[in-house]
Amino acid sequence: MKLEEQSKNDDGTIDYLYIMKFKVYDENSSKIYEKEGELTLSTIKNELKIDRDWSRGVKIDGLDGGL
């Protein structure tokens, strides 16, 4: 997973872009897909919290729905 800081907000949160790669496979083949999205993180009592998560859907060959 690649995480890239985009901006620091006035409320102390930080916005990030991410790209996550994952492999879908069966007994015959495999394929790597990428999922892109955005996160907004805050720190509360020294713990990270995801305040917002948005991602683009991924169309996987042979499946009716996407991720």
Side-chain angles (χ1 to χ4, degrees):
M1 182 169 167
K2 178 181 177 183
L3 194 63
E4 182 180 315
E5 184 177 309
Q6 292 300 297
S7 61
K8 292 183 180 179
N9 303 310
D10 293 338
D11 63 359
T13 61
I14 302 173
D15 295 330
Y16 293 91
L17 288 179
Y18 69 83
I19 299 174
M20 179 176 22
K21 292 183 180 182
F22 58 97
K23 183 187 275 188
V24 175
Y25 61 93
D26 61 19
E27 62 277 349
N28 299 316
S29 64
S30 66
K31 185 170 180 180
I32 295 176
Y33 293 88
E34 288 188 355
K35 185 170 185 80
E36 298 178 2
E38 301 173 6
L39 290 173
T40 300
L41 298 177
S42 62
T43 304
I44 299 174
K45 296 181 183 178
N46 293 325
E47 294 183 5
L48 287 175
K49 176 184 173 195
I50 297 173
D51 292 329
R52 178 183 67 90
D53 179 17
W54 174 86
S55 63
R56 294 179 184 95
V58 175
K59 175 75 171 138
I60 297 178
D61 301 336
L63 295 178
D64 292 334
L67 291 178

